[in-house]
Amino acid sequence: MNARRTRVAAIVAAALIALGAGGCSKRGAHGEGGRNPWTVPGVLRIGADEEPDSLNLMYGHTAATDSLVGLLFSFLFRYDENGNYVPDLATQIPSIANGGISRDGLTITYRLRPDVRWQDGVPFTSRDVK
């Protein structure tokens, strides 16, 4: 009885894999240049299994909001794929070695990128961070 169940499970698994692979390779779905008909150059489409509860990062509480906030806003620093800090609006991550953190640990200095501007062209300054 166990051998029969194993064979049935293997057949079902093979059928599901074949159906999944077949669904991924629909012929004739691509338009000119190998693009899908729904592809619009310069447009980013994001699929999610839930809606964000807010586009204001101060009021969002869902994973969907967290995902979109990272695309909409810049921060002084971000995390890379390994969980390390990387500069975003700052030029470097403050440390004692680079002078960004005082020896007593009471003062942290962020040096801002000089090329950052708001959407209206106004320069981004320390007042904006404050």
Side-chain angles (χ1 to χ4, degrees):
M1 197 74 157
N2 273 342
R4 183 168 186 236
R5 283 186 185 167
T6 303
R7 271 185 274 150
V8 169
I11 291 170
V12 169
L16 289 173
I17 290 170
L19 286 172
C24 294
S25 61
K26 185 176 178 184
R27 294 183 183 258
H30 299 299
E32 284 185 36
R35 289 192 171 130
N36 292 308
W38 62 84
T39 300
V40 178
V43 173
L44 172 66
R45 296 175 194 252
I46 300 172
D49 58 353
E50 67 176 346
E51 290 187 26
D53 58 346
S54 176
L55 293 181
N56 182 334
L57 65 96
M58 301 299 289
Y59 300 110
H61 301 289
T62 64
T65 300
D66 291 344
S67 296
L68 287 177
V69 161
L71 297 172
L72 295 175
F73 300 102
S74 291
F75 301 92
L76 290 174
F77 54 86
R78 295 179 179 270
Y79 300 98
D80 67 11
E81 63 276 357
N82 298 316
N84 300 312
Y85 292 129
V86 293
D88 190 10
L89 293 173
T91 59
Q92 60 188 358
I93 303 302
S95 68
I96 291 174
N98 66 22
I101 300 177
S102 63
R103 293 267 175 223
D104 61 7
L106 297 177
T107 303
I108 300 175
T109 303
Y110 290 96
R111 290 171 179 82
L112 302 178
R113 288 180 24 212
D115 61 334
V116 177
R117 298 192 176 280
W118 290 96
Q119 71 277 8
D120 61 1
V122 174
F124 176 74
T125 69
S126 60
R127 285 183 171 214
D128 299 312
V129 176
K130 184 180 174 185

